[in-house]
Amino acid sequence: MTLDNLPGRPHVAYKDGELFAEQIPLRELARQYGTPLFVYSEAAVLGALAAYQRGLAGRSAKICYSVKANPALGVIRLLAAAGCDFDIVSGGELERVIAAGVETARIIFSGVGKTRAEICRALEVGIACFNVESESELDVLNALAIASGKSAPVSIRVNPNVDPKTHPYISTGLKSSKFGIAHERALEAYRRAASMSGLRVIGIDCHIGSQITQEAPYMDAMDRMLDLVESIEATGTKIEHIDLGGGLGIDYNGDQPPQADILWSKLLAKLDARGYGDRKIMIEPGRSLVGNAGLCITEVLYLKPGDQKNFCIVDAAMNDLPRPALYQAYHAIVPLRPRADAPTRWEIVGPVCESGDWIGHDRDLSVQSGDLLAVLSAGAYCMSMASNYNSRGRAAEVLVSGSNARLIRERETITDQLRAERLVLDGHP
Ligand SMILES: *Cc1c(COP(=O)(O)O)cnc(C)c1O
C-alpha cells in the first residue's frame, strides 16, 4: 500500500495534501464530531453492492446483507433502499432491521444457537427463511411453529467440508466447525424436515468462511451443494433456493479477492452447466459490502520513543477496533495530512490496559502528537464488535454522501453506560 493506493479508493483519497472521504475533508468531521470517529462512504457501499447486482443481473436472486458486519441503522437503511434483503444471527439484529423500516419478509435468520424466544419472535413477525443449523433446532422450530399455528420456511445450513489443504483461509465450512449440518448427515436432516408438519422446506444454504480471497473454495462449495440438491430432490423434496452464504474478502493490505461480479458469472455458469439455472440464488455478503467503505479517525495522543520500540499512542483502542487484538488483523493506517519529514517506525497502540491493545505494528509514519490518522478498511467487524472495555464509550458514526455528512450514531456517553446499573447499598433491600 502507498499513499496513492489506499484500500477503499476511490472513495478515500488525498486532495491537496488532505485525506477526503468522497467530497468531505476528514479533518472537518473530526473537528465537528470528535475522535475516535467511524466514517462510512455511501458511494463505496453502493458500489460494492452494485458489483453483486451486476453479477446476478437477470436472475431470480436475493442479496441478503449480513447485518453483523455493521448493524448501524443508517447502513441497514441505505442497503434496504438499494434493494438488499437481510441475513440476521440474533433477535437483536431482527429488531434492528425492523427498526430500520424493513419488511420482515426480507429477512432470513442464520445462527447455531437461536433461542426459543428469538424463534417465536421471528415466527410472529413472519420472516422469509430460517437457516437451520442442527437437527435439534429442526425439532424446536417445528414444535414452536405448530404451537403458534404457523408453518416455518426452512433451509438447512450444510457444512460442505471444502478441503482446507487447498484453501487454507476457510474456517467455518470444515467438518470440525460448529456451524451447519455435516454434508453426510444433510440428506437425513432433509428427510426429517420434510416429514415435520410445522416446517416448509424451501432451500439449502452454506457459509464457508470469511475474508476469502480465492474463487476456488466457492466453486467447490457450489459443486458440493449441487450434489446434495440432486440427492435431496431425488427423495421428492424440491429445493427452491440455493444460498451460498457470504465470506468474500476485501483489500486490507494489497489483498486481491475475486470481484463479486466476475465470481458470480462463473458460479452461475456452473449452475447452468449442471442444470440448476432455474433456481433462486441467495447470498449473504457482509464484509465485502461495507468493509472497505469505512474508516476510523483517531488522534495521536502521545509519542513515546524507546530503545526497542517507538510507541505512538492514539485515542482509538481495541474496544473500537478489535480485529488486530482478536485475529492479529492488519488495517492500513495513514495520516489525514501527510508530513514531509522522514518517517519513523512506530507501534500504533491504544490507551487500553492490555498489551494486546495495538492497532498496527511497525508502521512507518511521520507523526506528531495532535495529528489525526485514519485506520482504513474499518467498515466491517469494528463497530459491530466494539465494547465498553475500560469504560470507554463507543465511538460516533458518520455516513458520507458526496459533500454531505450525517451523524448516524452519537458518541456513547457515560450516562448511556451507567443506565442499566444499580448502586446497591449495605443495609438496604
Ligand atoms: C458472518 C456471516 C456472513 C457474512 O460473512 P462475511 O465474511 O462478512 O461476508 C454470512 N452468513 C453467515 C451465516 C454468517 O454468519
Side-chain angles (χ1 to χ4, degrees), residues 66 68 87 89 110 157 207 209-210 246-248 284-287 381:
S66 176
K68 75 177 192 286
D87 176 40
V89 292
S110 302
R157 176 167 175 183
H207 170 67
S210 205
L248 190 58
E284 303 165 355
R287 187 193 311 272
Y381 303 110

Side-chain angles (χ1 to χ4, degrees), residues 423-429:
L423 193 59
V424 181
L425 301 173
D426 282 352
H428 290 267

Side-chain angles (χ1 to χ4, degrees), residues 316-322 325 350 352 354 356-359 385 387 389:
M318 64 188 285
N319 74 300
D320 306 296
L321 294 160
V352 162
E354 295 279 346
D357 181 28
W358 58 277
I359 312 291
M385 293 202 288
S387 78
Y389 189 36

Side-chain angles (χ1 to χ4, degrees), residues 52 64-69 87-89 109-111 131 133 157 172 179 205-212 218 243-249 283-290 380-381:
Y52 281 104
C64 301
Y65 169 58
S66 176
V67 173
K68 75 177 192 286
D87 176 40
I88 57 163
V89 292
F109 193 173
S110 302
N131 288 355
E133 301 215 15
R157 176 167 175 183
T172 61
F179 301 101
D205 67 286
C206 72
H207 170 67
I208 55 176
S210 205
Q211 187 54 18
I212 298 167
Y218 283 106
D243 174 348
L244 217 56
L248 190 58
I283 55 171
E284 303 165 355
R287 187 193 311 272
S288 53
L289 290 181
V290 293
Y381 303 110

